[in-house]
Amino acid sequence: MAATYPDDVAAHFARFLGSAGVDVVRLSSLGIVTAAEVGTLGPDRVLELAAAGDHPDAQAVLLPDTALHTVAVLDRLEDRLGKPVLTANQVSIWQGLRLAGDRVGRTGLGTLFREPPG
């Protein structure tokens, strides 16, 4: 998991995931307090953030901040890491489409969107 949050908030989030059966094998955080500051991170910094949260044993990398601009770089993130990258906004939209009955795969939005929501 690669979080923009302060260390203590990121650790709480990792424990929350653990309580749901998700094993967080690496946790990195940037220590950012405000969404406004997160929104200023450019594509290269987002790529660095994701790489810092990666681990050879990780099946995917999670970027959990909705203020983080990731849609335009999802495929680049996955190309760089060689695995799925899940972001807060991406997963939220995917789940909303799934609940609405959408069954269309899409390109350019990462591995999650390539297959129709099921």
Side-chain angles (χ1 to χ4, degrees):
M1 184 173 96
T4 57
Y5 315 130
D7 292 342
D8 62 331
V9 175
H12 284 299
F13 195 90
R15 284 193 295 279
F16 170 75
L17 292 172
S19 72
V22 176
D23 186 20
V24 177
V25 295
R26 175 169 290 151
L27 171 61
S28 68
S29 62
L30 292 180
I32 298 174
V33 177
T34 67
E37 185 178 350
V38 170
T40 67
L41 299 177
D44 290 337
R45 189 67 178 114
V46 173
L47 289 164
E48 291 170 10
L49 171 66
D54 191 16
H55 185 278
D57 294 336
Q59 295 176 344
V61 174
L62 173 64
L63 303 174
D65 194 329
T66 57
L68 192 61
H69 298 239
T70 57
V71 171
V73 294
L74 282 168
D75 286 339
R76 284 179 56 199
L77 289 166
E78 290 188 349
D79 288 345
R80 178 168 178 181
L81 302 180
K83 63 185 66 169
V85 173
L86 303 172
T87 72
N89 294 325
Q90 171 205 39
V91 171
S92 296
I93 292 167
W94 183 89
Q95 177 66 353
L97 289 170
R98 188 188 74 76
L99 291 171
D102 182 78
R103 299 294 180 261
V104 177
R106 292 167 173 82
T107 60
L109 298 171
T111 301
L112 182 65
F113 272 90
R114 285 191 196 111
E115 294 295 321

